Amino acid sequence: MIKTEELDPNFKYEIASMPGGERIKYCFNCTGCTVSCPVNEIDREFNPRKILRQSLLGMRKEVLSSELIWLCSSCYACYEHCPQDVRITEIMGALRTIAEKEAHRGNIAVPCDKRKFDSAFTGSIKKHGRVYEAMTIAGFIFRTKGIGGMLAYTPMGLAMLRKGKLPLLPHGIKGKKQVKAIFEMMHR
Amino acid sequence: MKFSYYPGCTLHGSASEYDISTRAVCRALGIELVEIEDWNCCGALEGSSNKALSTALSARNIVIASKTSLQLVMPCSICSHNLARADVSIREDSRLRQSVEQALGTSYTGVRMKHLLDVMVNEFGLENLKGRVTRPLTGIKAAPYYGCLLVRPSKICRFDNPKNPVTMDNLIRALGADSPQFRHKVKCCGGSLLMGKEDIAHNLSLNILSEAKAAGADCLVAACPMCHTMLDGQQGMIEKHHDVKLDMPVVYFTQLIGIALGLGEKELGLDRNMVSASRLLDSICKKQQDEKMQEKREKQDTGNTDGDMGHPGGHAGGMGK
Ligand code: SF4
Ligand code: SF4
């Protein structure tokens, strides 16, 4: 049940002010995005049209604290199909950026492994300038899947090592300071 | 031909065979690649949620590349998407441009840039490439897998039809192989969900692999390290979790070109693919031998006894190692 007094009428303007969120108000709810979405084919819970509708209605907390906005694979199928050029893929990104900010401030909890991986990944870029694959992936598997998860991935990890596909040391770039400055400016 | 080269992080790691085969094929074709200096990660899809961050990270690489007068070429579909997306966004959004320039501490200058597949097919050209083939892939069925970011969104990458691209199909045919009807050529592999939602990612990739098998493909051809990680690297896990047997080699288009140019297995990093490509290589050799036998028989049938003479230097010795 939607309680109208709990809706945030400003949510759509907040999204539209984010880079990538600009065109949200053009959505006329036709379902073209959902029909073209490959993730929806696998998991019906994930419904981009519904996420847009909820956002336009102002269901801010529901949308931002839901794991669903992290299930978009960024495939741009919906973006290509939308008759209103809403650019849904970019809006999903804008929603995740707002959710990240709110979670950082402790206003919402997002129990989602995908979010954890994304921040481990960008954290690695911030530190080295390039992503340190071995550590980012191993650390993530250990934190989310424990020893059992590590063991399940060990044969593949060893095969990759043998094939020279998994450098064990990070490659730091000279422009690390500049990359850090980019994060400080943009990652707020 | 000379280009600046942005390999991106995975080509220096988990997709090293893509880097190795790109360099080997370009060397063989006389295309010079100059790696840009001190490049950084473009943010990949993990950073793309934050558009401002992703744009600034990509812009740093573009500004570095713009210091040369060369066109920039990228083999990774995610990198090439991110850099092109950043360039378009900066041109369209003056507020974003301002904050990017502030973060970089320099003004933004763009550069001409392309995906490597675009360069191979449209700049080097298929006619040129055909002329360099020494080991035609006759009788091989190679299913072209474009994935998402190589062709979508079409506002950003305009080099082929986003719903039914043909660039890679044409490349495969130019190398002498068949490109079967493959319905899943632009369907998502789920790569960006692998770490957080493995079940969805595996389901999406399984669909593509099964479709390739149903189409009778001898291999899938990829143009993106993430697609390749899903279809090749994760194939064993997918087989285990879904209790299926796939055994489908997945090669980068650069590796396929290299095979047709007569380059060796190691030179193309084929020993680094997780699903062994040796069955594919064997069947290329076998099909070639069969064809020679066939020609010989036909010549004999028509009473021409010197049939052998026209075909010096066969490749019966297998692939160069
Ligand atoms: S396809 Fe476009 S207009 Fe239709 S529901 Fe999706 S976002 Fe809205
Ligand atoms: S970009 Fe996201 S929402 Fe759109 S079709 Fe792909 S997975 Fe679905």
Side-chain angles (χ1 to χ4, degrees):
Chain A
M1 190 81 77
I2 298 171
K3 292 194 187 132
T4 44
E5 76 270 17
E6 283 174 12
L7 298 177
D8 178 350
N10 288 322
F11 190 36
K12 55 179 175 294
Y13 303 115
E14 182 184 4
I15 297 167
S17 74
M18 303 286 296
E22 299 88 352
R23 297 188 57 87
I24 184 160
K25 286 175 281 167
Y26 287 84
C27 173
F28 60 15
N29 208 26
C30 72
T31 318
C33 46
T34 300
V35 172
S36 59
C37 175
V39 176
N40 173 267
E41 252 177 65
I42 308 279
D43 181 352
R44 300 283 172 204
E45 279 293 298
F46 179 73
N47 181 341
R49 182 205 56 80
K50 188 169 165 190
I51 294 172
L52 284 170
R53 197 72 202 138
Q54 289 175 321
S55 303
L56 286 166
L57 279 172
M59 299 167 72
R60 189 173 189 275
K61 193 153 187 187
E62 260 113 329
V63 171
L64 295 181
S65 49
S66 156
E67 189 192 24
L68 292 172
I69 53 175
W70 298 88
L71 297 195
C72 165
S73 73
S74 301
C75 78
Y76 285 87
C78 54
Y79 187 118
E80 206 63 41
H81 278 87
C82 174
Q84 287 288 93
D85 192 25
V86 171
R87 309 188 183 179
I88 307 103
T89 319
E90 302 287 354
I91 289 172
M92 293 287 177
L95 289 171
R96 290 195 295 272
T97 309
I98 302 174
E100 185 61 56
K101 218 183 304 181
E102 290 291 299
H104 197 71
R105 290 180 187 145
N107 294 340
I108 56 166
V110 187
C112 170
D113 285 349
K114 168 72 178 133
R115 178 184 160 236
K116 280 186 209 146
F117 183 70
D118 286 6
S119 49
F121 193 99
T122 47
S124 181
I125 305 173
K126 185 177 179 184
K127 193 162 167 202
H128 307 291
R130 293 182 190 167
V131 68
Y132 178 18
E133 288 184 298
M135 224 34 219
T136 307
I137 295 172
F140 172 79
I141 294 176
F142 183 67
R143 272 195 316 273
T144 56
K145 300 190 169 93
I147 292 284
M150 286 296 267
L151 286 176
Y153 265 92
T154 303
M156 180 188 293
L158 289 177
M160 287 179 73
L161 266 181
R162 255 198 323 273
K163 286 171 183 279
K165 289 161 73 103
L166 211 57
L168 285 178
L169 293 174
H171 182 105
I173 65 166
K174 282 185 252 149
K176 258 185 258 171
K177 254 202 186 136
Q178 202 183 10
V179 170
K180 212 162 254 166
I182 292 175
F183 271 87
E184 263 138 38
M185 273 287 298
M186 302 303 201
H187 211 214
R188 281 187 292 215
Chain B
M1 273 186 162
K2 192 171 173 183
F3 295 88
S4 331
Y5 178 52
Y6 174 53
C9 302
T10 51
L11 272 82
H12 277 199
S14 58
S16 54
E17 66 268 45
Y18 200 8
D19 186 50
I20 293 171
S21 54
T22 293
R23 289 177 194 272
V25 164
C26 286
R27 208 180 305 119
L29 296 175
I31 301 172
E32 195 182 334
L33 299 177
V34 187
E35 186 165 330
I36 60 170
E37 262 175 49
D38 208 44
W39 52 267
N40 58 278
C41 175
C42 69
L45 285 177
E46 285 72 8
S48 72
S49 300
N50 186 331
K51 193 173 176 183
L53 175 69
S54 164
T55 304
L57 285 172
S58 297
R60 181 177 176 275
N61 295 314
I62 299 176
V63 169
I64 293 173
S66 73
K67 302 224 161 85
T68 73
S69 55
L70 302 170
Q71 191 175 176
L72 180 64
V73 61
M74 295 162 278
C76 170
S77 300
I78 302 175
C79 297
S80 89
H81 161 78
N82 273 341
L83 267 64
R85 173 179 179 247
D87 186 61
V88 170
S89 310
I90 290 169
R91 284 169 203 283
E92 279 177 356
D93 183 342
S94 57
R95 222 167 31 129
L96 186 60
R97 183 189 201 109
Q98 220 176 16
S99 57
V100 165
E101 291 186 338
Q102 211 178 334
L104 294 180
T106 167
S107 62
Y108 176 80
T109 37
V111 71
R112 288 210 306 144
M113 53 177 117
K114 275 190 170 164
H115 191 280
L116 180 64
L117 179 65
D118 196 359
V119 166
M120 277 297 165
V121 174
N122 299 318
E123 300 228 356
F124 188 81
L126 291 182
E127 280 313 309
N128 252 340
L129 195 58
K130 248 187 217 168
R132 307 293 281 269
V133 169
T134 57
R135 187 193 284 150
L137 310 178
T138 323
I140 293 300
K141 270 193 181 181
Y145 179 63
Y146 299 79
C148 304
L149 301 175
L150 182 61
V151 290
R152 287 192 301 269
S154 51
K155 276 196 183 65
I156 290 174
C157 37
R158 302 186 196 87
F159 88 100
D160 206 340
N161 181 324
K163 292 186 180 138
N164 186 21
V166 292
T167 309
M168 214 189 303
D169 300 60
N170 294 340
L171 171 71
I172 288 168
R173 285 189 206 113
L175 302 176
D178 275 340
S179 142
Q181 272 295 333
F182 183 48
R183 288 183 307 143
H184 284 11
K185 52 161 84 160
V186 294
K187 209 73 196 263
C188 179
C189 72
S192 74
L193 298 176
L194 175 64
M195 284 296 149
K197 275 281 165 187
E198 190 185 77
D199 52 332
I200 297 182
H202 279 177
N203 270 303
L204 288 169
S205 281
L206 175 61
N207 286 346
I208 294 159
L209 289 161
S210 314
E211 170 73 14
K213 245 190 141 56
D218 295 297
C219 67
L220 265 164
V221 189
C224 167
M226 191 162 75
C227 302
H228 195 262
T229 295
M230 285 307 298
L231 300 171
D232 174 70
Q234 288 288 311
Q235 199 178 119
M237 288 284 201
I238 295 173
E239 286 180 326
K240 205 158 110 196
H241 292 168
H242 288 265
D243 196 21
V244 285
K245 194 86 203 111
L246 296 162
D247 201 13
M248 175 63 65
V250 187
V251 296
Y252 286 105
F253 75 94
T254 44
Q255 292 180 312
L256 198 72
I257 297 176
I259 296 172
L261 294 181
L263 302 179
E265 201 176 325
K266 272 234 160 72
E267 262 179 293
L268 296 170
L270 280 160
D271 53 330
R272 295 182 179 220
N273 293 34
M274 299 294 275
V275 176
S276 164
S278 53
R279 198 166 46 95
L280 172 69
L281 298 176
D282 287 348
S283 59
I284 291 172
C285 287
K286 192 170 169 304
K287 294 248 162 80
Q288 275 194 326
Q289 278 169 13
D290 288 352
E291 204 172 298
K292 279 206 193 89
M293 293 292 283
Q294 180 71 24
E295 276 175 36
K296 206 166 154 185
R297 238 174 283 136
E298 276 166 16
K299 288 228 166 113
Q300 275 167 356
D301 283 351
T302 54
N304 187 348
T305 44
D306 59 357
D308 258 349
M309 306 292 283
H311 305 278
H315 300 282
M319 307 290 294
K321 299 229 171 176

